[in-house]
PDB file of all heavy atoms in Angstrom:
ATOM      1  N   ALA G   7       3.520  11.031  -9.994  1.00 83.00           N
ATOM      2  CA  ALA G   7       4.587  11.655 -10.819  1.00 83.00           C
ATOM      3  C   ALA G   7       5.082  10.697 -11.891  1.00 83.00           C
ATOM      4  O   ALA G   7       5.493  11.115 -12.985  1.00 83.00           O
ATOM      5  CB  ALA G   7       5.739  12.122  -9.919  1.00 83.00           C
ATOM      6  N   PHE G   8       5.064   9.399 -11.626  1.00 83.00           N
ATOM      7  CA  PHE G   8       5.503   8.390 -12.636  1.00 83.00           C
ATOM      8  C   PHE G   8       4.648   8.459 -13.876  1.00 83.00           C
ATOM      9  O   PHE G   8       5.078   8.098 -14.956  1.00 83.00           O
ATOM     10  CB  PHE G   8       5.393   6.991 -12.051  1.00 83.00           C
ATOM     11  CG  PHE G   8       6.559   6.576 -11.199  1.00 83.00           C
ATOM     12  CD1 PHE G   8       6.444   6.513  -9.819  1.00 83.00           C
ATOM     13  CD2 PHE G   8       7.816   6.289 -11.722  1.00 83.00           C
ATOM     14  CE1 PHE G   8       7.500   6.139  -8.989  1.00 83.00           C
ATOM     15  CE2 PHE G   8       8.867   5.935 -10.971  1.00 83.00           C
ATOM     16  CZ  PHE G   8       8.757   5.852  -9.604  1.00 83.00           C
ATOM     17  N   ALA G  10       2.614  11.214 -14.783  1.00 94.00           N
ATOM     18  CA  ALA G  10       2.170  12.576 -15.134  1.00 94.00           C
ATOM     19  C   ALA G  10       2.382  12.798 -16.683  1.00 94.00           C
ATOM     20  O   ALA G  10       3.433  12.572 -17.191  1.00 94.00           O
ATOM     21  CB  ALA G  10       2.969  13.598 -14.385  1.00 94.00           C
ATOM     22  N   GLY G  11       1.322  13.263 -17.318  1.00 96.00           N
ATOM     23  CA  GLY G  11       1.406  13.625 -18.719  1.00 96.00           C
ATOM     24  C   GLY G  11       1.308  12.412 -19.643  1.00 96.00           C
ATOM     25  O   GLY G  11       1.560  12.498 -20.832  1.00 96.00           O
ATOM     26  N   ILE G  47       1.004  19.130  -9.074  1.00 96.00           N
ATOM     27  CA  ILE G  47       1.723  19.544 -10.240  1.00 96.00           C
ATOM     28  C   ILE G  47       3.048  18.805 -10.247  1.00 96.00           C
ATOM     29  O   ILE G  47       3.585  18.499  -9.165  1.00 96.00           O
ATOM     30  CB  ILE G  47       1.856  21.074 -10.257  1.00 96.00           C
ATOM     31  CG1 ILE G  47       2.392  21.564 -11.645  1.00 96.00           C
ATOM     32  CG2 ILE G  47       2.742  21.609  -9.128  1.00 96.00           C
ATOM     33  CD1 ILE G  47       2.137  23.077 -11.893  1.00 96.00           C
ATOM     34  N   TYR G  48       3.589  18.539 -11.468  1.00 95.00           N
ATOM     35  CA  TYR G  48       4.752  17.625 -11.549  1.00 95.00           C
ATOM     36  C   TYR G  48       5.840  18.171 -12.466  1.00 95.00           C
ATOM     37  O   TYR G  48       5.551  18.723 -13.556  1.00 95.00           O
ATOM     38  CB  TYR G  48       4.304  16.264 -12.090  1.00 95.00           C
ATOM     39  CG  TYR G  48       3.169  15.683 -11.261  1.00 95.00           C
ATOM     40  CD1 TYR G  48       1.843  15.944 -11.646  1.00 95.00           C
ATOM     41  CD2 TYR G  48       3.443  14.957 -10.143  1.00 95.00           C
ATOM     42  CE1 TYR G  48       0.814  15.441 -10.888  1.00 95.00           C
ATOM     43  CE2 TYR G  48       2.377  14.420  -9.345  1.00 95.00           C
ATOM     44  CZ  TYR G  48       1.085  14.684  -9.752  1.00 95.00           C
ATOM     45  OH  TYR G  48       0.065  14.205  -8.949  1.00 95.00           O
ATOM     46  N   SER G  49       7.089  17.962 -12.084  1.00 93.00           N
ATOM     47  CA  SER G  49       8.184  18.278 -12.966  1.00 93.00           C
ATOM     48  C   SER G  49       8.351  17.106 -13.972  1.00 93.00           C
ATOM     49  O   SER G  49       8.263  15.944 -13.609  1.00 93.00           O
ATOM     50  CB  SER G  49       9.514  18.364 -12.171  1.00 93.00           C
ATOM     51  OG  SER G  49      10.586  18.334 -13.094  1.00 93.00           O
ATOM     52  N   LEU G  50       8.488  17.439 -15.238  1.00 94.00           N
ATOM     53  CA  LEU G  50       8.723  16.382 -16.278  1.00 94.00           C
ATOM     54  C   LEU G  50      10.223  16.226 -16.514  1.00 94.00           C
ATOM     55  O   LEU G  50      10.612  15.348 -17.291  1.00 94.00           O
ATOM     56  CB  LEU G  50       7.988  16.747 -17.539  1.00 94.00           C
ATOM     57  CG  LEU G  50       6.485  16.830 -17.480  1.00 94.00           C
ATOM     58  CD1 LEU G  50       5.880  17.310 -18.816  1.00 94.00           C
ATOM     59  CD2 LEU G  50       5.859  15.493 -17.131  1.00 94.00           C
ATOM     60  N   GLU G  51      11.021  17.053 -15.865  1.00 90.00           N
ATOM     61  CA  GLU G  51      12.468  17.074 -16.163  1.00 90.00           C
ATOM     62  C   GLU G  51      13.249  16.202 -15.176  1.00 90.00           C
ATOM     63  O   GLU G  51      14.323  15.707 -15.524  1.00 90.00           O
ATOM     64  CB  GLU G  51      12.992  18.474 -16.059  1.00 90.00           C
ATOM     65  CG  GLU G  51      12.787  19.269 -17.287  1.00 90.00           C
ATOM     66  CD  GLU G  51      13.360  20.650 -17.159  1.00 90.00           C
ATOM     67  OE1 GLU G  51      13.653  21.140 -16.061  1.00 90.00           O
ATOM     68  OE2 GLU G  51      13.554  21.250 -18.215  1.00 90.00           O
ATOM     69  N   ASP G  52      12.735  16.185 -13.949  1.00 81.00           N
ATOM     70  CA  ASP G  52      13.539  15.358 -12.978  1.00 81.00           C
ATOM     71  C   ASP G  52      12.519  14.615 -12.120  1.00 81.00           C
ATOM     72  O   ASP G  52      11.355  14.683 -12.289  1.00 81.00           O
ATOM     73  CB  ASP G  52      14.474  16.248 -12.166  1.00 81.00           C
ATOM     74  CG  ASP G  52      13.827  17.547 -11.730  1.00 81.00           C
ATOM     75  OD1 ASP G  52      12.675  17.514 -11.270  1.00 81.00           O
ATOM     76  OD2 ASP G  52      14.476  18.585 -11.877  1.00 81.00           O
ATOM     77  N   GLY G  53      13.072  13.799 -11.226  1.00 76.00           N
ATOM     78  CA  GLY G  53      12.217  13.012 -10.305  1.00 76.00           C
ATOM     79  C   GLY G  53      11.597  11.831 -11.045  1.00 76.00           C
ATOM     80  O   GLY G  53      12.111  11.383 -12.054  1.00 76.00           O
ATOM     81  N   PHE G  54      10.442  11.342 -10.529  1.00 73.00           N
ATOM     82  CA  PHE G  54       9.800  10.129 -11.002  1.00 73.00           C
ATOM     83  C   PHE G  54       9.464  10.186 -12.513  1.00 73.00           C
ATOM     84  O   PHE G  54       9.550   9.240 -13.256  1.00 73.00           O
ATOM     85  CB  PHE G  54       8.567   9.793 -10.212  1.00 73.00           C
ATOM     86  CG  PHE G  54       8.842   9.534  -8.754  1.00 73.00           C
ATOM     87  CD1 PHE G  54       8.033  10.135  -7.771  1.00 73.00           C
ATOM     88  CD2 PHE G  54       9.833   8.689  -8.319  1.00 73.00           C
ATOM     89  CE1 PHE G  54       8.266   9.910  -6.434  1.00 73.00           C
ATOM     90  CE2 PHE G  54      10.051   8.426  -6.971  1.00 73.00           C
ATOM     91  CZ  PHE G  54       9.284   9.046  -6.027  1.00 73.00           C
ATOM     92  N   ALA G  55       8.928  11.378 -12.910  1.00 70.00           N
ATOM     93  CA  ALA G  55       8.481  11.506 -14.328  1.00 70.00           C
ATOM     94  C   ALA G  55       9.618  11.300 -15.282  1.00 70.00           C
ATOM     95  O   ALA G  55       9.457  10.709 -16.377  1.00 70.00           O
ATOM     96  CB  ALA G  55       7.800  12.815 -14.547  1.00 70.00           C
ATOM     97  N   ALA G  56      10.814  11.771 -14.905  1.00 72.00           N
ATOM     98  CA  ALA G  56      11.970  11.631 -15.796  1.00 72.00           C
ATOM     99  C   ALA G  56      12.419  10.202 -15.869  1.00 72.00           C
ATOM    100  O   ALA G  56      12.967   9.752 -16.874  1.00 72.00           O
ATOM    101  CB  ALA G  56      13.096  12.532 -15.271  1.00 72.00           C
ATOM    102  N   VAL G  57      12.157   9.440 -14.758  1.00 69.00           N
ATOM    103  CA  VAL G  57      12.545   7.987 -14.765  1.00 69.00           C
ATOM    104  C   VAL G  57      11.551   7.207 -15.667  1.00 69.00           C
ATOM    105  O   VAL G  57      11.974   6.410 -16.503  1.00 69.00           O
ATOM    106  CB  VAL G  57      12.500   7.472 -13.326  1.00 69.00           C
ATOM    107  CG1 VAL G  57      12.750   5.936 -13.278  1.00 69.00           C
ATOM    108  CG2 VAL G  57      13.491   8.189 -12.423  1.00 69.00           C
ATOM    109  N   SER G  58      10.279   7.434 -15.462  1.00 73.00           N
ATOM    110  CA  SER G  58       9.264   6.599 -16.203  1.00 73.00           C
ATOM    111  C   SER G  58       9.147   6.966 -17.619  1.00 73.00           C
ATOM    112  O   SER G  58       8.856   6.144 -18.482  1.00 73.00           O
ATOM    113  CB  SER G  58       7.926   6.773 -15.531  1.00 73.00           C
ATOM    114  OG  SER G  58       7.403   8.026 -15.775  1.00 73.00           O
ATOM    115  N   LYS G  59       9.359   8.248 -17.946  1.00 81.00           N
ATOM    116  CA  LYS G  59       9.236   8.795 -19.308  1.00 81.00           C
ATOM    117  C   LYS G  59       7.817   8.575 -19.914  1.00 81.00           C
ATOM    118  O   LYS G  59       7.687   8.480 -21.121  1.00 81.00           O
ATOM    119  CB  LYS G  59      10.317   8.263 -20.193  1.00 81.00           C
ATOM    120  CG  LYS G  59      11.742   8.600 -19.811  1.00 81.00           C
ATOM    121  CD  LYS G  59      12.632   8.481 -21.028  1.00 81.00           C
ATOM    122  CE  LYS G  59      14.082   8.689 -20.790  1.00 81.00           C
ATOM    123  NZ  LYS G  59      14.524   9.598 -19.752  1.00 81.00           N
ATOM    124  N   GLU G  60       6.833   8.436 -19.099  1.00 87.00           N
ATOM    125  CA  GLU G  60       5.459   8.200 -19.603  1.00 87.00           C
ATOM    126  C   GLU G  60       4.957   9.410 -20.408  1.00 87.00           C
ATOM    127  O   GLU G  60       4.163   9.257 -21.311  1.00 87.00           O
ATOM    128  CB  GLU G  60       4.501   7.816 -18.497  1.00 87.00           C
ATOM    129  CG  GLU G  60       4.747   6.409 -17.994  1.00 87.00           C
ATOM    130  CD  GLU G  60       3.602   5.880 -17.137  1.00 87.00           C
ATOM    131  OE1 GLU G  60       2.483   6.360 -17.262  1.00 87.00           O
ATOM    132  OE2 GLU G  60       3.842   4.898 -16.400  1.00 87.00           O
ATOM    133  N   ALA G  61       5.460  10.584 -20.027  1.00 93.00           N
ATOM    134  CA  ALA G  61       4.983  11.797 -20.769  1.00 93.00           C
ATOM    135  C   ALA G  61       5.524  11.745 -22.208  1.00 93.00           C
ATOM    136  O   ALA G  61       4.930  12.423 -23.101  1.00 93.00           O
ATOM    137  CB  ALA G  61       5.486  13.064 -20.053  1.00 93.00           C
ATOM    138  N   GLU G  62       6.611  11.031 -22.413  1.00 92.00           N
ATOM    139  CA  GLU G  62       7.129  10.962 -23.839  1.00 92.00           C
ATOM    140  C   GLU G  62       6.092  10.402 -24.764  1.00 92.00           C
ATOM    141  O   GLU G  62       5.995  10.852 -25.925  1.00 92.00           O
ATOM    142  CB  GLU G  62       8.390  10.038 -23.855  1.00 92.00           C
ATOM    143  CG  GLU G  62       9.590  10.470 -23.080  1.00 92.00           C
ATOM    144  CD  GLU G  62      10.263  11.692 -23.733  1.00 92.00           C
ATOM    145  OE1 GLU G  62      10.081  11.866 -24.919  1.00 92.00           O
ATOM    146  OE2 GLU G  62      10.951  12.459 -23.002  1.00 92.00           O
ATOM    147  N   ILE G  65       1.938  13.563 -23.417  1.00 97.00           N
ATOM    148  CA  ILE G  65       1.848  14.980 -23.791  1.00 97.00           C
ATOM    149  C   ILE G  65       2.965  15.405 -24.797  1.00 97.00           C
ATOM    150  O   ILE G  65       2.667  16.189 -25.700  1.00 97.00           O
ATOM    151  CB  ILE G  65       1.842  15.888 -22.509  1.00 97.00           C
ATOM    152  CG1 ILE G  65       1.613  17.381 -22.886  1.00 97.00           C
ATOM    153  CG2 ILE G  65       3.079  15.680 -21.679  1.00 97.00           C
ATOM    154  CD1 ILE G  65       0.297  17.703 -23.453  1.00 97.00           C
ATOM    155  N   PHE G  66       4.173  14.889 -24.638  1.00 96.00           N
ATOM    156  CA  PHE G  66       5.226  15.277 -25.592  1.00 96.00           C
ATOM    157  C   PHE G  66       4.890  14.817 -27.024  1.00 96.00           C
ATOM    158  O   PHE G  66       5.084  15.538 -28.001  1.00 96.00           O
ATOM    159  CB  PHE G  66       6.573  14.683 -25.161  1.00 96.00           C
ATOM    160  CG  PHE G  66       7.244  15.389 -24.028  1.00 96.00           C
ATOM    161  CD1 PHE G  66       7.291  14.821 -22.752  1.00 96.00           C
ATOM    162  CD2 PHE G  66       7.787  16.703 -24.196  1.00 96.00           C
ATOM    163  CE1 PHE G  66       7.884  15.508 -21.709  1.00 96.00           C
ATOM    164  CE2 PHE G  66       8.348  17.383 -23.117  1.00 96.00           C
ATOM    165  CZ  PHE G  66       8.395  16.780 -21.849  1.00 96.00           C
ATOM    166  N   VAL G  92       1.060  26.397 -17.367  1.00 96.00           N
ATOM    167  CA  VAL G  92       1.960  26.236 -16.223  1.00 96.00           C
ATOM    168  C   VAL G  92       3.415  26.139 -16.661  1.00 96.00           C
ATOM    169  O   VAL G  92       4.295  25.778 -15.913  1.00 96.00           O
ATOM    170  CB  VAL G  92       1.567  25.012 -15.365  1.00 96.00           C
ATOM    171  CG1 VAL G  92       0.162  25.113 -14.780  1.00 96.00           C
ATOM    172  CG2 VAL G  92       1.672  23.697 -16.146  1.00 96.00           C
ATOM    173  N   ASN G  93       3.610  26.405 -17.967  1.00 96.00           N
ATOM    174  CA  ASN G  93       5.003  26.367 -18.515  1.00 96.00           C
ATOM    175  C   ASN G  93       5.354  27.713 -19.146  1.00 96.00           C
ATOM    176  O   ASN G  93       4.493  28.389 -19.576  1.00 96.00           O
ATOM    177  CB  ASN G  93       5.076  25.293 -19.608  1.00 96.00           C
ATOM    178  CG  ASN G  93       5.098  23.869 -19.037  1.00 96.00           C
ATOM    179  OD1 ASN G  93       6.116  23.391 -18.569  1.00 96.00           O
ATOM    180  ND2 ASN G  93       3.920  23.213 -19.012  1.00 96.00           N
ATOM    181  N   ALA G  94       6.652  28.025 -19.139  1.00 95.00           N
ATOM    182  CA  ALA G  94       7.112  29.209 -19.824  1.00 95.00           C
ATOM    183  C   ALA G  94       6.882  28.978 -21.354  1.00 95.00           C
ATOM    184  O   ALA G  94       6.847  27.831 -21.791  1.00 95.00           O
ATOM    185  CB  ALA G  94       8.562  29.490 -19.584  1.00 95.00           C
ATOM    186  N   GLY G  96       6.958  28.151 -25.015  1.00 90.00           N
ATOM    187  CA  GLY G  96       7.879  27.314 -25.825  1.00 90.00           C
ATOM    188  C   GLY G  96       8.525  26.207 -25.027  1.00 90.00           C
ATOM    189  O   GLY G  96       9.342  25.442 -25.571  1.00 90.00           O
ATOM    190  N   GLU G  97       8.213  26.085 -23.758  1.00 92.00           N
ATOM    191  CA  GLU G  97       8.844  25.021 -22.941  1.00 92.00           C
ATOM    192  C   GLU G  97       7.759  24.006 -22.462  1.00 92.00           C
ATOM    193  O   GLU G  97       6.600  24.381 -22.321  1.00 92.00           O
ATOM    194  CB  GLU G  97       9.495  25.622 -21.715  1.00 92.00           C
ATOM    195  CG  GLU G  97      10.762  26.352 -22.045  1.00 92.00           C
ATOM    196  CD  GLU G  97      11.409  26.963 -20.799  1.00 92.00           C
ATOM    197  OE1 GLU G  97      11.053  26.516 -19.649  1.00 92.00           O
ATOM    198  OE2 GLU G  97      12.242  27.841 -20.957  1.00 92.00           O
ATOM    199  N   LEU G  98       8.219  22.846 -22.152  1.00 93.00           N
ATOM    200  CA  LEU G  98       7.311  21.883 -21.520  1.00 93.00           C
ATOM    201  C   LEU G  98       8.143  21.075 -20.508  1.00 93.00           C
ATOM    202  O   LEU G  98       8.810  20.071 -20.853  1.00 93.00           O
ATOM    203  CB  LEU G  98       6.663  20.918 -22.541  1.00 93.00           C
ATOM    204  CG  LEU G  98       5.753  19.842 -21.929  1.00 93.00           C
ATOM    205  CD1 LEU G  98       4.576  20.493 -21.149  1.00 93.00           C
ATOM    206  CD2 LEU G  98       5.200  18.900 -22.995  1.00 93.00           C
ATOM    207  N   ASN G  99       8.157  21.558 -19.291  1.00 94.00           N
ATOM    208  CA  ASN G  99       8.916  20.873 -18.259  1.00 94.00           C
ATOM    209  C   ASN G  99       8.073  20.599 -17.017  1.00 94.00           C
ATOM    210  O   ASN G  99       8.525  20.029 -16.063  1.00 94.00           O
ATOM    211  CB  ASN G  99      10.213  21.657 -17.891  1.00 94.00           C
ATOM    212  CG  ASN G  99       9.911  23.107 -17.662  1.00 94.00           C
ATOM    213  OD1 ASN G  99       8.854  23.483 -17.121  1.00 94.00           O
ATOM    214  ND2 ASN G  99      10.828  23.955 -18.115  1.00 94.00           N
ATOM    215  N   THR G 100       6.826  21.064 -17.035  1.00 95.00           N
ATOM    216  CA  THR G 100       5.934  20.910 -15.890  1.00 95.00           C
ATOM    217  C   THR G 100       4.572  20.416 -16.377  1.00 95.00           C
ATOM    218  O   THR G 100       4.113  20.857 -17.436  1.00 95.00           O
ATOM    219  CB  THR G 100       5.786  22.306 -15.196  1.00 95.00           C
ATOM    220  OG1 THR G 100       7.052  22.810 -14.929  1.00 95.00           O
ATOM    221  CG2 THR G 100       4.975  22.196 -13.930  1.00 95.00           C
ATOM    222  N   TYR G 101       3.965  19.528 -15.612  1.00 97.00           N
ATOM    223  CA  TYR G 101       2.645  19.035 -15.994  1.00 97.00           C
ATOM    224  C   TYR G 101       1.648  19.268 -14.848  1.00 97.00           C
ATOM    225  O   TYR G 101       1.911  18.879 -13.719  1.00 97.00           O
ATOM    226  CB  TYR G 101       2.716  17.510 -16.329  1.00 97.00           C
ATOM    227  CG  TYR G 101       1.394  17.086 -16.906  1.00 97.00           C
ATOM    228  CD1 TYR G 101       1.097  17.329 -18.229  1.00 97.00           C
ATOM    229  CD2 TYR G 101       0.439  16.487 -16.080  1.00 97.00           C
ATOM    230  CE1 TYR G 101      -0.149  16.918 -18.745  1.00 97.00           C
ATOM    231  CE2 TYR G 101      -0.813  16.145 -16.608  1.00 97.00           C
ATOM    232  CZ  TYR G 101      -1.081  16.347 -17.921  1.00 97.00           C
ATOM    233  OH  TYR G 101      -2.307  15.999 -18.414  1.00 97.00           O
ATOM    234  N   PRO G 102       0.516  19.900 -15.164  1.00 97.00           N
ATOM    235  CA  PRO G 102      -0.445  20.127 -14.069  1.00 97.00           C
ATOM    236  C   PRO G 102      -1.343  18.893 -13.830  1.00 97.00           C
ATOM    237  O   PRO G 102      -1.896  18.335 -14.760  1.00 97.00           O
ATOM    238  CB  PRO G 102      -1.301  21.287 -14.688  1.00 97.00           C
ATOM    239  CG  PRO G 102      -1.256  21.104 -16.175  1.00 97.00           C
ATOM    240  CD  PRO G 102       0.070  20.415 -16.469  1.00 97.00           C
TER     241      PRO G 102
END
Side-chain angles (χ1 to χ4, degrees):
F8 278 106
I47 191 161
Y48 306 93
S49 165
L50 296 175
E51 278 183 340
D52 42 44
F54 298 132
V57 175
S58 72
K59 297 203 185 328
E60 287 196 19
E62 295 288 337
I65 185 65
F66 283 108
V92 298
N93 286 280
E97 287 180 17
L98 178 60
N99 47 38
T100 307
Y101 187 82

